[in-house]
Amino acid sequence: MSESDYPWEPPFAGTEIEHLVGALDRLRTTFRWKADDLDAAGLSVRVGASALTLGALLKHLAFVEDYMFTVKMRGGSPGEPWASVDWDAHPEWPFTSAADDTPEQLYALWDAAVHRSHVRLTTALADGGLDQLVHVSGPDGRHASLRRLVCDLVEEYGRHTGHADLLREAVDGRVGEDPPAGWRAKS
C-alpha cells in the first residue's frame, strides 16, 4: 500500500504544524469512518444508559469546529445553524436536536464544518503560525495561542472518537483503530 491509500496518516518526520494538523485530520477521518454510511436508526443507537448517539456527535463536533475557528480564534459568529440558538435555554442543543435531522443533513453539516475549519486553520497558520495569539482569553486577560486551540480540538476528537468506537460497534459490529486503506466517506 502507498501513502495515497492512507492520506489521513500524519508524516513520520514532519514539522510541529504537520504533526498537529496531521493528528487532528487522522482523528477526524477515524471519527467520520466510525459514523459513516448509517441510516437514521443507526445514527440514533445508544449504549447503556447514555443518551449519546453518533448523530449527536456529528452535530456536536460540527459545532465545535465552527466555534473553535470563529468565536475562539477570531471573535466572530459561528454562523448558522448555531447563531440563532438560544444557548442559555438549550445548552445541549447540538446533542438534543440531532434526532430531528436526517442522516444527510448531519453528514453535510459535519463535512461542511470540517471543510471551513481546514480553510480557516490553513489561513491562520499562513498568517502567523501556531504561536499567534487568538481572540479567546482567560480570566486574567491572557490570550490563548493557536497551538492551544489545535491541541484542544485534538483532545475533543480523541474523546469523541472513543465514544464513536463503542457506538458503531453497537450498530453493526464495526471495530478498528483506523479506516481501511483507500477508505472514502460514502454518505
Side-chain angles (χ1 to χ4, degrees):
M1 296 289 161
S2 70
E3 285 183 24
S4 64
D5 291 326
Y6 302 94
W8 51 84
E9 278 297 312
F12 283 126
T15 65
E16 179 185 18
I17 289 172
E18 290 169 336
H19 280 284
L20 278 173
V21 174
L24 177 58
D25 284 342
R26 179 173 51 192
L27 282 166
R28 283 172 170 154
T29 301
T30 300
F31 172 78
R32 186 63 166 84
W33 172 61
K34 293 292 181 172
D36 193 44
D37 201 28
L38 293 172
D39 59 14
L43 289 175
S44 298
V45 166
R46 297 175 178 186
V47 175
S50 175
L52 196 59
T53 67
L54 286 167
L57 285 174
L58 280 164
K59 195 164 190 174
H60 166 70
L61 287 170
F63 170 69
V64 171
E65 292 275 359
D66 281 335
Y67 190 80
M68 190 71 70
F69 294 119
T70 58
V71 177
K72 285 190 167 187
M73 188 168 73
R74 297 290 182 238
S77 170
E80 291 300 337
W82 325 115
S84 60
V85 173
D86 180 351
W87 291 100
D88 291 331
H90 305 286
E92 299 296 318
W93 185 78
F95 292 105
T96 58
S97 67
D100 299 329
D101 299 322
T102 66
E104 295 79 16
Q105 289 170 317
L106 292 168
Y107 290 125
L109 185 67
W110 186 86
D111 290 340
V114 169
H115 175 74
R116 286 188 298 274
S117 289
H118 273 288
V119 171
R120 291 170 179 152
L121 180 57
T122 299
T123 300
L125 290 169
D127 288 345
L130 291 170
D131 290 326
Q132 69 183 283
L133 298 182
V134 298
H135 173 75
V136 72
S137 62
D140 62 359
R142 288 185 307 146
H143 288 265
S145 68
L146 182 56
R147 178 182 290 101
R148 170 65 188 261
L149 294 188
V150 174
C151 288
D152 285 354
L153 195 54
V154 168
E155 178 186 354
E156 187 82 9
Y157 269 97
R159 178 183 311 111
H160 292 314
T161 300
H163 295 136
D165 284 337
L166 296 171
L167 290 164
R168 185 57 187 247
E169 186 174 4
V171 172
D172 62 7
R174 178 180 283 181
V175 295
E177 185 176 329
D178 293 310
W183 176 82
R184 298 291 180 267
K186 292 181 185 175
S187 47

